[in-house]
Amino acid sequence: AQTVTQSQPEMSVQEAETVTLSCTYDTSESDYYLFWYKQPPSRQMILVIRQEAYKQQNATENRFSVNFQKAAKSFSLKISDSQLGDAAMYFCAYRSVSVGTYKYIFGTGTRLKVLA
Amino acid sequence: GAGVSQSPSNKVTEKGKDVELRCDPISGHTALYWYRQSLGQGLEFLIYFQGNSAPDKSGLPSDRFSAERTGGSVSTLTIQRTQQEDSAVYLCASSLGGGGVGTEAFFGQGTRLTVV
């Protein structure tokens, strides 16, 4: 079975600085999707960025980028020029593409604090 | 609708009572998921629907939990004889479909269930 591990329960970053959130996963599959979701205090889960495993190029979305290391099964999120609005829980998630196993598997989350 | 809608937003119930939680997915989304999030924890998978059928209900914690989906749209999660350990936020998500199609999951704002 697949697992997702986020080893940093909490991180802090100064406003305008850069922070990296770590995520590792375990799978025997060769094709899958990886995601970072943000959950602010409103509880609304919002997709931050998505990576397809067969694509070697790291995904980027404005100030958010990932470092996808397939062999190491690592998927870290880098937030550049951190803003106060980035403060939230961040969840790493894995999704299989194998038939019948389309559930998303989430890590335990990292709480990001942004200091003014 | 414009997004995934869940009702009620908050529910307080007495131990031993039954509760029903409702999820209205985004129109046209064939996949629907239920997750449970306990205080400060990650997302625990409960059940996945593709259309009206549930190919994966491996996360339902006991036979007190059941879910159904009708018309390929609205889903109801029912918890019978509620216990205090059932207190959590129940999140619903929908996506376009399985495999590589529309892999982003869109989440509702959840139902906070408190069992007293």
Side-chain angles (χ1 to χ4, degrees), chain A residues 33 35 37 39 42-45 47 50 89 91 95-97 100-109, chain B residues 9 33 35 37 41-43 45 48 56 58 89 95 97-100 103-105 107-110 112:
Chain A
Y33 289 88
F35 306 84
Y37 276 88
Q39 186 182 43
S42 67
R43 297 199 310 242
Q44 182 72 58
M45 294 278 283
L47 178 68
R50 167 176 53 201
M89 283 290 289
F91 292 96
R95 183 184 182 277
S96 173
V97 299
T101 58
Y102 299 144
K103 67 186 177 188
Y104 298 76
I105 300 168
F106 287 84
T108 51
Chain B
S9 297
Y33 308 81
Y35 287 85
Q37 185 176 26
Q41 301 298 309
L43 278 71
F45 170 78
Y48 155 64
D56 189 348
S58 61
V89 174
S95 70
T103 53
E104 178 183 355
F107 283 81
Q109 288 195 288
R112 181 181 298 280

Side-chain angles (χ1 to χ4, degrees), chain A:
Chain A
Q2 296 86 11
T3 58
V4 176
T5 302
Q6 293 180 251
S7 58
Q8 306 156 317
E10 190 171 294
M11 293 281 284
S12 295
V13 63
Q14 206 70 34
E15 196 175 6
E17 297 294 309
T18 295
V19 64
T20 298
L21 308 184
S22 300
C23 173
T24 59
Y25 58 95
D26 190 26
T27 184
S28 59
E29 299 177 326
S30 59
D31 196 15
Y32 45 86
Y33 289 88
L34 296 166
F35 306 84
W36 279 98
Y37 276 88
K38 170 184 177 181
Q39 186 182 43
S42 67
R43 297 199 310 242
Q44 182 72 58
M45 294 278 283
I46 303 164
L47 178 68
V48 174
I49 200 164
R50 167 176 53 201
Q51 175 79 42
E52 296 166 278
Y54 66 86
K55 290 187 176 179
Q56 293 187 344
Q57 187 174 7
N58 289 324
T60 62
E61 287 288 342
N62 301 314
R63 298 183 295 107
F64 299 87
S65 62
V66 298
N67 183 3
F68 173 49
Q69 302 287 329
K70 190 173 184 180
K73 297 178 183 174
S74 171
F75 183 60
S76 60
L77 174 70
K78 185 172 84 170
I79 306 173
S80 304
D81 184 26
S82 296
Q83 301 175 0
L84 294 177
D86 295 333
M89 283 290 289
Y90 286 82
F91 292 96
C92 178
Y94 172 103
R95 183 184 182 277
S96 173
V97 299
S98 299
V99 174
T101 58
Y102 299 144
K103 67 186 177 188
Y104 298 76
I105 300 168
F106 287 84
T108 51
T110 296
R111 181 174 301 282
L112 178 66
K113 295 184 176 181
V114 181
L115 308 174

Side-chain angles (χ1 to χ4, degrees), chain B residues 40-61:
Chain B
Q41 301 298 309
L43 278 71
E44 175 190 4
F45 170 78
L46 297 178
I47 188 168
Y48 155 64
F49 287 93
Q50 182 61 44
N52 290 337
S53 63
D56 189 348
K57 43 188 169 183
S58 61
L60 293 177

Side-chain angles (χ1 to χ4, degrees), chain B residues 20-111:
Chain B
E20 284 189 353
L21 312 181
R22 176 187 168 104
C23 174
D24 202 340
I26 293 172
S27 178
H29 281 194
T30 61
L32 186 146
Y33 308 81
W34 283 99
Y35 287 85
R36 180 168 70 175
Q37 185 176 26
S38 300
L39 186 62
Q41 301 298 309
L43 278 71
E44 175 190 4
F45 170 78
L46 297 178
I47 188 168
Y48 155 64
F49 287 93
Q50 182 61 44
N52 290 337
S53 63
D56 189 348
K57 43 188 169 183
S58 61
L60 293 177
S62 75
D63 59 7
R64 296 187 296 106
F65 288 72
S66 63
E68 65 174 12
R69 188 179 186 194
T70 55
S73 182
V74 173
S75 176
T76 303
L77 176 68
T78 301
I79 309 173
Q80 296 179 310
R81 305 181 302 282
T82 51
Q83 303 294 313
Q84 288 186 328
E85 60 262 30
D86 299 334
S87 296
V89 174
Y90 290 82
L91 292 168
C92 176
S94 69
S95 70
L96 273 174
V101 176
T103 53
E104 178 183 355
F106 294 82
F107 283 81
Q109 288 195 288
T111 294

